[in-house]
Amino acid sequence: MVSGGKRRRAGLVIIIIIAVVVLAGGAALAYAWVTRTPAEVIPRTSTATIERSLTPAQQLLADADDPLACAVSFVGEGAPQDPMLQHQDALYVGLPIPAQDGRVFAGWYATEADATAMTVAARVNGADPVVCVDQQVALFAAWTTPEANAAADVQVSILMYHQFTTNPDGESGWLRGNYAYIGDFDAQMNHIASTGFYLPTWDELSAFIDGRLSLPARSVIITDDDADQTWFDLAVPVIDRYGLLSTSFMITADRQDPPPSKYVLRRSHTHDMHKAGDNGKGRMVNWTAEQIAADLNASADVLGVREVIAYPYGHYNDTAKQGVTMAGYEMARTIEPGYVKIGTDKLALPVVRIDYGMGLDSLIKRIG
């Protein structure tokens, strides 16, 4: 029979053994915790904390995961709060045109001081290559008044070229007037590039016509009709050399070449309406609005954009305008001489036609 004293001693031994085990286990856990690597002791919520600390521009770049991506932030009254993703191997695309009651947007600028002064040379638009520092850049907004915008009485020139020749004496045949001598073209582009001209994008021209955007006094848009092979072979290298935004109006049934330069926009000269209709005039003034819209839709499918067209032969009427609108285009360019002003009919944009024999002096007389 075990006495009560022995039982008490046995129970005490068991308690001591349990205590030793618990203490030893706790020490082992403590040692394991102390000797963990830094990565093991970072709380699980740290990743989320880091992600929340990114600025909107940094988050945009992180999501893009592209070394050529550029986050463009906008600064100033009325500027968009969210940054926009652009790419450093291209021109700016789709820069916003803010709107405010009683004010006219005057463009984006490289610095706040340039925005205040509205320095034309520092104004940034879709004619400019994207240039970033550490994949980020800020653009500053400028504004003017409707009264000042109207008083400026800006007139935008749309230059219209066709074919090009290396022969100073020109080409023969009834279309010889369409062929600009490439030496004259080079001199004209050099003049535009070196004397402070501004090259609006088509969306800027639309906003200017509406009175929502002011443009510099010396604004010019360079266009070519037909996308002739001489445009690719002779003119585009000049465009590239001077870095001038231009538009090639393509007949997409005839050719569907990719853009030959980042400075060349492809726009519609219709899909297959650059042909005579039943009455000898272009199909654009022979077809129904529905037929015209179907053709322009086919052209848009090739080019990937609905914005502006050039009427074949310059032929158009109210039905043609209706078809252009039905297809989702906002503007159309004619061959009628003149300049684009505030309030100009967007479906009847006039041009400054450049023909053979028109050298630099002729251009200066027309556009300054």
Side-chain angles (χ1 to χ4, degrees):
M1 184 175 183
V2 180
S3 66
K6 288 182 178 180
R7 282 196 298 272
R8 285 193 294 274
R9 285 195 296 275
L12 181 59
V13 169
I14 292 170
I15 291 171
I16 292 171
I17 291 171
I18 292 172
V20 170
V21 170
V22 170
L23 289 173
L29 289 172
Y31 176 79
W33 175 262
V34 170
T35 57
R36 282 184 177 186
T37 64
E40 292 173 311
V41 299
I42 294 176
R44 288 176 179 245
T45 58
S46 63
T47 301
T49 301
I50 292 173
E51 289 178 352
R52 284 197 298 271
S53 69
L54 294 178
T55 66
Q58 291 170 334
Q59 188 63 59
L60 195 64
L61 292 171
D63 294 339
D65 191 25
D66 180 353
L68 292 178
C70 179
V72 181
S73 298
F74 304 100
V75 183
E77 187 177 352
Q81 294 185 351
D82 295 331
M84 171 184 279
L85 192 68
Q86 299 280 342
H87 292 274
Q88 297 178 68
D89 59 348
L91 306 182
Y92 281 98
V93 176
L95 288 176
I97 301 176
Q100 285 193 341
D101 291 339
R103 304 182 79 187
V104 175
F105 186 60
W108 297 109
Y109 295 82
T111 69
E112 186 174 9
D114 288 324
T116 301
M118 290 193 287
T119 308
V120 175
R123 185 164 170 170
V124 176
N125 74 334
D128 298 303
V130 179
V131 179
C132 294
V133 176
D134 295 329
Q135 292 189 270
Q136 295 192 48
V137 68
L139 298 179
F140 296 81
W143 296 87
T144 187
T145 65
E147 294 76 17
N149 189 43
D153 193 27
V154 171
Q155 301 182 52
V156 181
S157 305
I158 301 179
L159 304 184
M160 180 179 65
Y161 293 89
H162 284 86
Q163 290 83 31
F164 300 85
T165 178
T166 58
N167 185 359
D169 295 327
E171 300 295 320
S172 60
W174 69 280
L175 283 176
R176 71 184 309 271
N178 278 357
Y179 283 81
Y181 171 50
I182 195 62
D184 290 334
F185 182 72
D186 191 299
Q188 292 164 354
M189 296 303 102
N190 179 55
H191 174 71
I192 291 171
S194 61
T195 58
F197 277 86
Y198 183 78
L199 284 81
T201 56
W202 291 104
D203 61 334
E204 286 184 306
L205 187 71
S206 175
F208 165 76
I209 292 171
D210 292 339
R212 298 184 291 111
L213 175 75
S214 71
L215 288 176
R218 304 177 75 197
S219 293
V220 62
I221 295 177
I222 304 162
T223 74
D224 167 76
D225 279 16
D226 306 336
D228 184 77
Q229 191 61 43
T230 58
W231 161 255
F232 289 89
D233 296 341
L234 300 178
V236 170
V238 175
I239 291 292
D240 251 349
R241 183 162 65 253
Y242 293 116
L244 296 173
L245 183 69
S246 62
T247 296
S248 176
F249 287 111
M250 300 184 71
I251 307 165
T252 51
D254 293 347
R255 65 188 311 161
Q256 302 179 4
D257 308 62
S261 163
K262 68 181 179 182
Y263 292 102
V264 176
L265 304 175
R266 300 184 310 161
R267 295 298 184 265
S268 178
H269 204 17
T270 75
H271 181 65
D272 197 24
M273 286 192 286
H274 204 290
K275 295 178 179 178
D278 294 338
N279 62 359
K281 293 186 177 181
R283 288 179 173 178
M284 182 66 82
V285 291
N286 276 270
W287 285 3
T288 66
E290 290 74 16
Q291 289 173 312
I292 291 169
D295 177 278
L296 293 176
N297 281 328
S299 182
D301 290 342
V302 172
L303 300 174
V305 61
R306 285 172 168 78
E307 188 176 52
V308 60
I309 75 153
Y311 293 118
Y313 313 115
H315 297 167
Y316 71 99
N317 55 21
D318 288 343
T319 301
K321 288 183 175 182
Q322 183 182 359
V324 170
T325 302
M326 286 173 60
Y329 293 76
E330 186 181 16
M331 293 174 287
R333 203 220 64 202
T334 71
I335 62 170
E336 296 170 358
Y339 304 89
V340 179
K341 306 175 183 180
I342 296 172
T344 292
D345 184 351
K346 292 185 182 180
L347 295 176
L349 301 177
V351 300
V352 175
R353 182 184 175 103
I354 307 296
D355 291 326
Y356 172 75
M358 294 175 61
L360 178 57
D361 290 344
S362 296
L363 182 76
I364 291 174
K365 287 178 182 177
R366 286 165 173 78
I367 71 171

